[in-house]
Amino acid sequence: MSNLSLVRITITFFTMIKSSAPIWVLLSGFIFGLFPITPTLIMVGLLITMGEVLTSFGEVEFDEVGFLLCAGAAVCGGGRWALIPF
């Protein structure tokens, strides 16, 4: 999905979206019970999410399909990193 998204979006936007991987690792850890849900972790996740949203709104050549492909790749990567201990 990552390579296909590069056809539709710029490399800088791709890098910004792929940097959301820690959010997906955190959410996957919460879902699978790997991390305890604490207010501190929730605040960190929300701050990273707000930064990602702000960078997405600043993109001039926004392409929904490219964004969804890149975000899907980030979600899969985050899930993969969360499941490595198993």
Side-chain angles (χ1 to χ4, degrees):
M1 285 195 292
S2 292
N3 291 338
L4 189 57
S5 69
L6 278 172
V7 174
R8 303 189 63 104
I9 60 175
T10 62
I11 292 176
T12 53
F13 190 51
F14 172 84
T15 304
M16 288 186 283
I17 300 304
K18 285 290 279 189
S19 67
S20 69
I23 298 168
W24 305 115
V25 171
L26 188 63
L27 286 175
S28 298
F30 288 160
I31 291 170
F32 296 124
L34 301 173
F35 307 130
I37 299 175
T38 64
T40 305
L41 285 178
I42 291 172
M43 286 303 296
V44 168
L46 288 175
L47 284 173
I48 295 172
T49 303
M50 287 173 49
E52 289 294 322
V53 168
L54 288 174
T55 58
S56 298
F57 281 132
E59 181 65 22
V60 176
E61 299 175 14
F62 186 80
D63 181 36
E64 289 180 13
V65 174
F67 172 77
L68 291 174
L69 285 169
C70 190
V75 169
C76 290
R80 181 191 68 200
W81 281 107
L83 292 175
I84 282 179
F86 295 109

